[in-house]
Amino acid sequence: MMKPDKLDPDKLPEVLTRFYGRIRKDPDLGPVFNDIVEDWDEHLLRLEDFWSSLMLSTGRYKGNPLAMHRLHVAAISPGMYDRWLLIWAQTTNEMLSPEIANVMQIKATRIAERLKSVMYEPTHGGYYQLSRS
């Protein structure tokens, strides 16, 4: 039986699939994501590794999300992160226990704040690591 305070690893792909399905259809975020992401299956697997590392300490994620997001700074406005977080909260609230949804929302908010800081405040130099949430 799953502990109520721990994310079920089998639930993660379902959450990410529903969430990014909504993102792809969103009038503000969809065009940006659909233009940037060339292979959605691969992208979802990478995101699953990322969230698995964050939530379950699996160490599966090997990558540099800060560098990847900085490549697209011209296409991503700071306000887009607020929309992303709203859809994330909606999806996690629907699909997960309140405790797990809350933890994932807190982590997502920290990630968004770090990305915005690195992308739009050049004094920070981009040396933050997302996984230190």
Side-chain angles (χ1 to χ4, degrees):
M1 184 172 198
M2 183 183 81
K3 288 173 37 181
D5 62 340
K6 187 171 182 178
L7 174 68
D8 177 352
D10 295 333
K11 195 74 172 162
L12 195 51
E14 295 173 35
V15 170
L16 293 170
T17 297
R18 182 180 295 179
F19 172 69
Y20 280 99
R22 289 175 171 166
I23 292 292
R24 293 173 77 176
K25 293 176 185 167
D26 185 81
D28 297 320
L29 301 177
V32 174
F33 274 85
N34 290 318
D35 188 49
I36 292 171
V37 177
E38 294 177 19
D39 182 342
W40 274 100
D41 291 336
E42 187 274 333
H43 191 66
L44 288 170
L45 288 173
R46 189 175 332 128
L47 290 164
E48 185 181 336
D49 288 345
F50 178 80
W51 281 100
S52 173
S53 294
L54 267 183
M55 293 297 296
L56 303 169
S57 303
T58 62
R60 287 174 26 191
Y61 182 74
K62 310 288 184 227
N64 187 339
L66 294 174
M68 293 307 297
H69 284 80
R70 287 181 89 178
L71 290 174
H72 306 291
V73 69
I76 304 170
S77 69
M80 289 179 174
Y81 287 99
D82 296 332
R83 180 76 184 138
W84 185 90
L85 287 168
L86 184 70
I87 297 169
W88 182 251
Q90 176 189 10
T91 305
T92 54
N93 283 338
E94 287 173 1
M95 300 186 70
L96 302 169
S97 72
E99 297 80 14
I100 300 300
N102 186 55
V103 171
M104 292 186 82
Q105 291 163 22
I106 289 168
K107 289 183 182 289
T109 299
R110 289 179 184 161
I111 290 165
E113 292 303 317
R114 287 192 182 133
L115 285 169
K116 284 194 288 189
S117 175
V118 168
M119 290 175 73
Y120 307 107
E121 298 173 24
T123 57
H124 286 101
Y127 295 108
Y128 289 105
Q129 292 183 6
L130 287 178
S131 59
R132 225 187 288 152
S133 294

